[in-house]
Amino acid sequence: MFCANFQNNIIQLSELPRNQFQQIYDAGRSGKLTCPLCQKEVRLYIGLKQSPHFYHAGKGDYSDCVEYCSTLQIEPASAVTEKEAVHSGSFRLPQGRSIKDEPAETQGFTPATPVTISNVYTDQAELQSNTLFPGISFNSSQYEAITNVEGPMLVLSGAGSGKTRVLTARAAYMAVHRKIDPRSIMLVTFTSKAAKEMRDRLSQSYGMMPQQLAGIVVGTFHSIFYRMLAHYDGAKWNGNNLIKGEWQREQYIKTAGREKGLDEKDFPYDLALQKISYWKNTLSISSSFKPKDDWEEQVFYLYQRYEEMKRDRNQFDFDDMLIGCYDLLTENKELLERYQKRFTHFLIDEFQDINTVQYQLMKLLSEHTRHICAVGDDDQSIYSFRGSDPGFILNFQKDFPDAAVIQLTKNYRSSHPIVASAKKVIVRNRNRLNKNIQSSFNHEQQPLFFYPYDEEEEATMIVNDIKERIQEGEDPGSFAVLYRTHSAGRAVFERLYQSSLPFSMEKETAGFYDRRVVKTAAAYLTLSRDPDSVEAVTSLLFAFFIKQTALSDLKAISILEDCSLLEALLKLPQLQPFQKKKIQQILPRFARLRSMKPVEALITIEKDMGLGDYLKKRGSEGNSIEKGSDDLQDLKVAAKEFQTVDAFLDHIDHMKHAVKEINSLQRSPENSIQLMTIHRSKGLEFKHVYVLGVTDGSLPHDFALDSHRQGDSSHLEEERRLLYVAMTRAKEGLYLSLPSYRRYKKAVPSRFIKHLM
Ligand SMILES: Nc1ncnc2c1ncn2[C@@H]1O[C@H](COP(=O)(O)OP(=O)(O)OP(=O)(O)O)[C@@H](O)[C@H]1O
């Protein structure tokens, strides 16, 4: 049905401006839409499977209502003149009627479209062997990769081609069939999640005895090498001295930057930190190191000061763990030999993401036996910013010219249409090894593009689609929603929370309202209704560049002079004249904020109340990947659906509680919808995968487009690999979202997928 009653007016869907769908959808959810005929509650459908339409909230036969609405059908929009239309609120309600009863097209709504793939699926029968472990089959390449355990081996494995299966089976085969001491097997993974999965698979699938299983050393580079360091010198490598938070690293280099007079609004500290990590992980810094240009000169200074600051405090960071171990083993031959005696067989997962220091460590440890097996896929290399380099795959063959090379090209995870589409995306990368990945099964479901209006509607469509599929019998654990950056997951988090569907997500995604800029902007809003909020006034001190110690003065002034904390700001004795002038201008505006619409209030805060200046000076505007002003734009998108500041602030509080609640539930991934960044999804698989924001600026990220414009296309290629990784997580359903607007700006489909549309 295509009409509904809203605020005593009849809305025709064909006449509803596209940007108001979400608002009407929300009105329906809060019971504010009714049927023009029976007056019962109706809702607006926004999803993937059908075009938007109104439907009755309760069950029953509503054919009369549908019929009635169809008699209200109007002439095509172009035929309705202004004279014929009346205006109600922000909606244009046509007067003209026609008795046509085909469904009216909804304005600007494009139904989901399938990805175009040209090649047809051809089933290539293959021999599978299951003699090694009952119930688990292996194709001939996998079999060879598992059983050929002597000497170096490189396994080039396409997405979903069973590298995890091969790695775990190879470890189990060595222990069970070849009776190699499990304690001498080292299996290195890239993430702790992958390590856990390997351990789980080893225990469940390969009939290993618990003591055999316990013997194999399975872990990430960091966990394995940190254990070596802690064992050698527990006092120096005490976990309490580890710098865990990025913010602390940033604080150190910003302190160093101030010594050099580097301006925070111009200087990209995030890139500087990345560069420092890169240098460390690629073992680039030696006595002969020379910065290449001015930028590197500056970063090199920050690097030196950063290292000094850590040393003075006996601290170390994650990169130091690997470098520390490398130094230890190269300097202490006796220790190296002890470890070499202990370990004889080495397996490395995600070899495409290895960096110099990790590679050198593995080479050192394995040089006595050369039983080293590296498994990787250059198309899934997505950590070059940390110094990883798919070039190691090529170097491996140089370092070990006698290495056996095995290609795994059969994809067992994803259906043919998914593999074919992902392949069409990745072949456009120039810097890659050519391979012919084929799916092992066909499926009638094609990957879909869908076209939400903006981020909010994108989240609504996805959550509704998941809800429908769960109602049809799918498990919540079959779904994953993937995105490029953490803040992009905010809207889906909020919709999922409102829907009561079980889901879990990474902490960073959940912490949108705790991001520094978001928190500061929200503090302005809070002070407009509670000028005595200690938390909000503390955030404001940051924004006005006033020392935090002023808080106790503020409290005293507020008691002695009987004024609010906010008003006390102006009476602070330590204010510089320019600060006083600014605060004088800004204070009266707080009260007015409360009567504005939240988006309007945020614009006022940004433009007229100092937040814009704060962003320029302190809000990481120089950052390339996470700009402060992007956070503010994201906050405006979140605020869009709210009519009052109070309602928006309540929503923020509610969502902060929601985060705590969801985290405390600790739902298992098997039973809940997963929200995560594409980076985190590596190595995982889901029946249905939704990829948010497949638009230029989001995927590829703006920073990669910038560097492409400046002549460096390596980041763009990495972004394409990210999309490839995201697509190849899906087994059956792949849904790529192409919103028309992003951060209030017109968005265009990602250059990576245009040829698939
Ligand atoms: N020979 C085989 N026969 C049937 N299924 C297989 C076979 N090999 C692997 N699989 C299945 O294919 C899927 C993908 O395997 P796996 O997770 O090991 O791939 P992967 O290469 O690690 O993937 P990616 O690199 O994309 O993360 C899994 O569900 C696995 O059980």
Side-chain angles (χ1 to χ4, degrees):
M1 152 173 138
F2 296 93
C3 68
N5 238 325
F6 176 57
Q7 297 178 340
N8 297 327
N9 286 311
I10 294 178
I11 308 168
Q12 290 271 10
L13 212 46
S14 57
E15 287 295 296
L16 185 64
R18 187 71 181 85
N19 60 359
Q20 288 173 10
F21 279 32
Q22 182 66 43
Q23 192 190 338
I24 295 303
Y25 171 85
D26 288 335
R29 285 192 70 239
S30 42
K32 292 180 187 151
L33 294 182
T34 53
C35 171
L37 185 67
C38 71
Q39 307 301 326
K40 289 192 180 144
E41 207 178 303
V42 297
R43 306 232 166 116
L44 177 60
Y45 172 91
I46 303 183
L48 258 67
K49 288 193 179 151
Q50 299 170 46
S51 289
H53 59 267
F54 294 106
Y55 63 95
H56 286 76
K59 288 209 163 67
D61 177 10
Y62 297 108
S63 44
D64 286 352
C65 308
V66 175
E67 175 68 22
Y68 176 76
C69 265
S70 69
T71 61
L72 290 180
Q73 284 295 308
I74 49 154
E75 294 295 337
S78 57
V80 179
T81 62
E82 279 304 304
K83 229 193 321 180
E84 289 168 319
V86 291
H87 290 264
S88 162
S90 47
F91 302 118
R92 185 167 166 270
L93 301 175
Q95 300 283 59
R97 287 180 179 190
S98 80
I99 322 282
K100 283 194 293 169
D101 63 4
E102 308 115 50
E105 273 301 307
T106 41
Q107 259 194 43
F109 181 85
T110 313
T113 51
V115 168
T116 46
I117 43 165
S118 42
N119 48 341
V120 189
Y121 177 71
T122 46
D123 188 14
Q124 288 146 351
E126 59 166 10
L127 262 179
Q128 290 254 30
S129 149
N130 57 6
T131 51
L132 290 178
F133 300 99
I136 308 175
S137 41
F138 304 104
N139 64 34
S140 53
S141 317
Q142 290 176 332
Y143 187 88
E144 198 190 336
I146 293 162
T147 54
N148 187 354
V149 297
E150 258 83 57
M153 176 183 281
L154 178 63
V155 182
L156 296 168
S157 71
S161 65
K163 81 180 156 48
T164 314
R165 183 178 280 215
V166 164
L167 276 169
T168 45
R170 187 175 156 106
Y173 170 79
M174 289 194 280
V176 177
H177 292 272
R178 299 291 282 268
K179 305 287 178 235
I180 293 168
D181 180 0
R183 292 185 71 252
S184 65
I185 303 172
M186 183 190 280
L187 169 48
V188 196
T189 65
F190 217 73
T191 61
S192 41
K193 221 183 215 169
K196 183 180 175 304
E197 201 199 329
M198 300 270 184
R199 263 188 241 112
D200 290 348
R201 285 209 203 179
L202 281 170
S203 73
Q204 287 154 15
S205 315
Y206 298 103
M208 291 184 72
M209 315 285 273
Q211 67 272 28
Q212 281 178 316
L213 179 63
I216 301 181
V217 172
V218 184
T220 60
F221 282 104
H222 282 101
S223 77
I224 293 175
F225 292 109
Y226 177 65
R227 261 182 281 161
M228 289 185 188
L229 286 173
H231 191 255
Y232 182 76
D233 186 351
K236 180 172 173 199
W237 297 97
N238 181 330
N240 293 333
N241 300 336
L242 171 67
I243 301 183
K244 296 187 187 85
E246 197 65 2
W247 63 270
Q248 200 172 359
R249 298 178 68 217
E250 199 167 308
Q251 210 176 39
Y252 284 169
I253 63 162
K254 283 190 173 171
T255 307
R258 275 194 286 279
E259 295 163 6
K260 266 263 176 203
L262 298 178
D263 189 342
E264 278 192 42
K265 72 171 182 282
D266 299 325
F267 194 80
Y269 279 97
D270 60 341
L271 286 193
L273 272 182
Q274 260 183 29
K275 189 87 196 174
I276 291 172
S277 242
Y278 178 87
W279 280 337
K280 290 174 77 167
N281 283 312
T282 49
L283 299 172
S284 302
I285 309 276
S286 63
S287 51
S288 58
F289 177 77
K290 289 242 165 357
K292 280 203 299 274
D293 47 30
D294 287 354
W295 147 251
E296 284 205 359
E297 187 99 45
Q298 286 164 329
V299 181
F300 187 54
Y301 175 81
L302 301 183
Y303 160 78
Q304 288 168 309
R305 290 289 294 119
Y306 171 70
E307 292 297 311
E308 271 167 29
M309 284 184 224
K310 273 193 300 135
R311 220 173 299 133
D312 293 347
R313 293 166 179 80
N314 284 327
Q315 288 177 310
F316 59 94
D317 63 18
F318 282 102
D319 301 331
D320 293 326
M321 291 181 184
L322 301 180
I323 298 173
C325 208
Y326 177 73
D327 289 344
L328 185 65
L329 295 180
T330 40
E331 283 156 18
N332 189 335
K333 287 275 172 266
E334 200 187 313
L335 189 69
L336 174 64
E337 279 166 18
R338 280 219 312 266
Y339 277 117
Q340 287 181 332
K341 255 200 200 114
R342 158 86 199 265
F343 294 106
T344 55
H345 289 76
F346 302 85
L347 296 100
I348 313 171
D349 188 17
E350 309 276 10
F351 191 63
Q352 73 284 351
D353 281 329
I354 203 165
N355 61 38
T356 309
V357 64
Q358 291 163 340
Y359 183 54
Q360 293 302 339
L361 272 165
M362 295 310 291
K363 255 178 70 183
L364 261 183
L365 284 173
S366 65
E367 67 189 3
H368 61 311
T369 63
R370 302 175 83 249
H371 300 325
I372 178 167
C373 172
V375 184
D377 176 9
D378 57 328
D379 288 334
Q380 294 186 66
S381 167
I382 53 175
Y383 284 102
S384 69
F385 61 89
R386 284 198 204 148
S388 67
D389 184 354
F392 284 116
I393 290 187
L394 301 172
N395 279 349
F396 189 86
Q397 285 167 281
K398 276 192 207 131
D399 287 345
F400 301 96
D402 54 333
V405 180
I406 294 178
Q407 287 225 15
L408 305 180
T409 52
K410 188 73 143 202
N411 181 314
Y412 293 96
R413 171 186 299 138
S414 315
S415 67
H416 166 68
I418 293 173
V419 172
S421 334
K423 209 154 85 174
K424 270 182 101 169
V425 167
I426 200 68
V427 288
R428 300 212 159 188
N429 263 6
R430 296 221 175 110
N431 202 359
R432 69 184 284 270
L433 296 168
N434 195 22
K435 50 191 96 56
N436 187 23
I437 289 284
Q438 299 284 345
S439 170
S440 62
F441 68 102
N442 202 2
H443 196 274
E444 74 280 358
Q445 193 177 339
Q446 302 277 332
L448 285 183
F449 290 123
F450 65 102
Y451 307 90
Y453 178 75
D454 63 2
E455 299 94 323
E456 292 297 308
E457 209 188 270
E458 177 179 64
T460 301
M461 281 176 140
I462 290 174
V463 172
N464 285 340
D465 195 57
I466 294 178
K467 206 189 288 173
E468 282 167 49
R469 290 176 196 275
I470 290 177
Q471 277 159 4
E472 288 162 8
E474 294 279 20
D475 289 330
S478 319
F479 299 92
V481 182
L482 309 181
Y483 32 86
R484 175 67 183 85
T485 56
H486 287 293
S487 43
R490 190 235 3 119
V492 178
F493 165 77
E494 296 187 357
R495 290 288 181 286
L496 275 174
Y497 183 74
Q498 286 157 354
S499 76
S500 314
L501 292 172
F503 72 99
S504 50
M505 79 278 148
E506 299 163 77
K507 273 204 193 75
E508 295 91 331
T509 297
F512 175 76
Y513 293 107
D514 285 325
R515 294 172 80 87
R516 191 170 49 157
V517 171
V518 172
K519 227 169 146 173
T520 310
Y524 280 81
L525 297 178
T526 303
L527 287 167
S528 76
R529 81 167 172 191
D530 176 10
D532 280 314
S533 164
V534 176
E535 196 190 337
V537 102
T538 311
S539 289
L540 208 67
L541 290 180
F542 277 120
F544 290 173
F545 303 103
I546 300 171
K547 286 211 173 87
Q548 293 297 295
T549 45
L551 188 64
S552 43
D553 293 343
L554 280 181
K555 285 181 184 166
I557 297 169
S558 125
I559 294 167
L560 293 174
E561 304 214 12
D562 199 16
C563 62
S564 69
L565 280 178
L566 184 63
E567 286 160 337
L569 266 178
L570 198 55
K571 303 175 191 205
L572 275 176
Q574 60 268 53
L575 289 186
Q576 304 285 335
F578 79 92
Q579 283 175 316
K580 200 165 187 141
K581 195 168 154 214
K582 193 166 140 193
I583 294 171
Q584 225 156 14
Q585 279 170 356
I586 289 172
L587 276 190
R589 297 187 179 153
F590 275 92
R592 267 177 261 152
L593 288 177
R594 206 170 168 197
S595 56
M596 295 178 184
K597 289 204 166 173
V599 176
E600 215 183 305
L602 287 171
I603 295 170
T604 307
I605 291 168
E606 180 186 7
K607 303 246 183 296
D608 307 332
M609 294 177 72
L611 187 66
D613 294 341
Y614 167 69
L615 287 179
K616 278 189 202 129
K617 293 198 181 101
R618 282 277 188 279
S620 320
E621 274 311 85
N623 278 3
S624 302
I625 299 175
E626 306 223 15
K627 277 196 187 0
S629 53
D630 287 348
D631 280 350
L632 183 60
Q633 282 305 104
D634 286 336
L635 184 67
K636 284 182 203 159
V637 175
K640 202 184 79 168
E641 306 307 327
F642 296 88
Q643 301 306 312
T644 65
V645 165
D646 279 354
F648 185 46
L649 283 173
D650 290 346
H651 172 74
I652 293 178
D653 279 347
H654 189 45
M655 286 303 123
K656 284 185 171 174
H657 282 112
V659 168
K660 288 194 191 122
E661 187 190 321
I662 297 294
N663 283 337
S664 70
L665 290 174
Q666 296 195 332
R667 287 183 171 126
S668 78
E670 294 77 36
N671 305 321
S672 54
I673 302 157
Q674 299 289 298
L675 264 64
M676 64 182 84
T677 55
I678 300 173
H679 280 102
R680 292 276 172 95
S681 75
K682 197 138 89 93
L684 304 178
E685 57 184 29
F686 307 90
K687 191 166 175 192
H688 299 280
V689 168
Y690 300 82
V691 188
L692 301 188
V694 189
T695 59
D696 269 4
S698 164
L699 192 60
H701 192 287
D702 275 322
F703 98 96
L705 291 172
D706 281 348
S707 79
H708 177 60
R709 279 189 281 271
Q710 283 155 23
D712 174 5
S713 59
S714 63
H715 295 299
L716 204 62
E717 294 224 329
E718 180 138 328
E719 297 283 310
R720 197 182 269 113
R721 291 194 290 269
L722 271 171
L723 178 59
Y724 178 74
V725 167
M727 292 171 82
T728 53
R729 298 310 93 201
K731 296 186 194 176
E732 220 176 274
L734 173 63
Y735 316 92
L736 304 169
S737 169
L738 311 181
S740 306
Y741 284 83
R742 176 171 174 263
R743 292 187 174 139
Y744 281 102
K745 291 208 183 94
K746 190 94 193 98
V748 295
S750 166
R751 60 194 59 204
F752 298 156
I753 48 90
K754 273 193 177 148
H755 60 297
L756 302 184
M757 290 177 77

